Amino acid sequence: MMRRFVIIGQKATASDDFLLEDVPGTGGRLDVLLRCVRAALLFSHGLRRDVVVYLVLLGGPRAPRVLRLDAAAVKFVRPDERSLAMLARKALANGPEARAGEFVETRPGISVMNGGLGDAIADLGAVTRYVLDEGATDIRELAELGRNDAVFFLGDHLGFDGATRAQLTTIGARPVGVGPMSLHTEDVIAIVSNEIDRREALSPSVRSL
Ligand SMILES: C[S@@+](CC[C@H](N)C(=O)[O-])C[C@H]1O[C@@H](n2cnc3c(N)ncnc32)[C@H](O)[C@@H]1O
């Protein structure tokens, strides 16, 4: 089963002009989204080949842009935040000069698009849609989880704004929760991944780096 995670960064910079030494302060909390990349794509000493991550970057002069990481094709993704920040910076510096709404691959498995959440949604295809929301139906109650390709939408440290919520409602994203606490986004991704892992019971689609 393919897993897709879409993380919406309300202030996360869409340009490469942030400092590696201060990603939170100069990147509009891009660090939050980079930790989500680690949580979604990596396990201990391994890369989940069946995961695609979309970072919707809504901050800075080049916004909106979307950074897509497809684990089936990426190479050398390292778990530390600095390496992830360097990877994002190179991708955002390189491109693209393409038409709005079209992903341009900047290196294997890593693509950038001039566009926003709607364009990212258009790239997802026909998959079951969930929005991670505090207080919603517990993910453990979803009998179908792990049986179909799915996409999970998550907010950043600020959550979702009203327009994003409305957009996700319009596309039929089902609200699901992961328990009673308000968690950091990357921790929510780890829990969702774990729930699916348990149901898939040692999926053959993961392999060592
Ligand atoms: C740090 S939380 C956002 C908190 C923000 N102050 C708010 O009120 O939405 C970041 C994101 O993680 C997800 N999240 C956090 N806790 C969750 C929970 N218990 N169940 C489901 N999703 C959760 C949501 O997608 C949320 O937008």
Side-chain angles (χ1 to χ4, degrees), residues 38-58:
R38 185 199 57 72
L41 294 189
L42 301 178
F43 61 97
S44 179
H45 301 297
L47 186 60
R48 295 175 177 276
R49 291 289 175 186
D50 54 356
V51 175
V52 183
V53 176
Y54 296 79
L55 304 184
V56 180
L57 307 170
L58 301 178

Side-chain angles (χ1 to χ4, degrees), residues 131-136 153-160 165 176-185 188:
V131 53
L132 271 297
D133 220 350
E134 296 163 31
F153 295 91
L154 299 107
D156 61 2
H157 61 297
L158 300 172
F160 299 111
R165 277 194 181 282
V176 287
V178 294
M181 307 293 285
S182 177
L183 302 176
H184 291 142
T185 313
V188 177

Side-chain angles (χ1 to χ4, degrees), residues 28-207:
R29 295 308 311 274
L30 180 65
D31 60 304
V32 172
L33 278 66
L34 297 177
R35 287 193 292 276
C36 291
V37 170
R38 185 199 57 72
L41 294 189
L42 301 178
F43 61 97
S44 179
H45 301 297
L47 186 60
R48 295 175 177 276
R49 291 289 175 186
D50 54 356
V51 175
V52 183
V53 176
Y54 296 79
L55 304 184
V56 180
L57 307 170
L58 301 178
R62 295 196 68 179
R65 293 171 94 193
V66 180
L67 184 58
R68 184 183 67 190
L69 297 96
D70 183 347
V74 291
K75 293 174 180 149
F76 311 121
V77 178
R78 306 205 179 281
D80 65 283
E81 230 170 278
R82 187 181 173 89
S83 298
L84 291 169
M86 283 171 63
L87 184 152
R89 199 167 72 163
K90 279 185 194 159
L92 294 171
N94 282 342
E97 300 307 324
R99 286 192 294 270
E102 274 184 14
F103 276 106
V104 173
E105 195 167 55
T106 60
R107 56 182 265 200
I110 299 179
S111 308
V112 180
M113 172 174 69
N114 291 324
L117 177 58
D119 299 293
I121 289 168
D123 190 63
L124 296 170
V127 291
T128 310
R129 296 158 175 180
Y130 301 101
V131 53
L132 271 297
D133 220 350
E134 296 163 31
T137 303
D138 197 310
I139 196 165
R140 294 185 176 177
E141 293 174 21
L142 299 183
E144 79 277 12
L145 189 75
R147 293 194 193 145
N148 306 306
D149 290 351
V151 58
F152 302 90
F153 295 91
L154 299 107
D156 61 2
H157 61 297
L158 300 172
F160 299 111
D161 65 13
T164 300
R165 277 194 181 282
Q167 203 169 357
L168 294 176
T169 302
T170 301
I171 63 163
R174 179 175 175 184
V176 287
V178 294
M181 307 293 285
S182 177
L183 302 176
H184 291 142
T185 313
E186 72 265 28
D187 295 337
V188 177
I189 290 174
I191 291 171
V192 170
S193 300
N194 180 258
E195 283 298 323
I196 301 173
D197 288 345
R198 287 166 182 265
R199 295 178 192 214
E200 289 188 347
L202 296 178
S203 165
S205 60
V206 293
R207 68 173 177 80

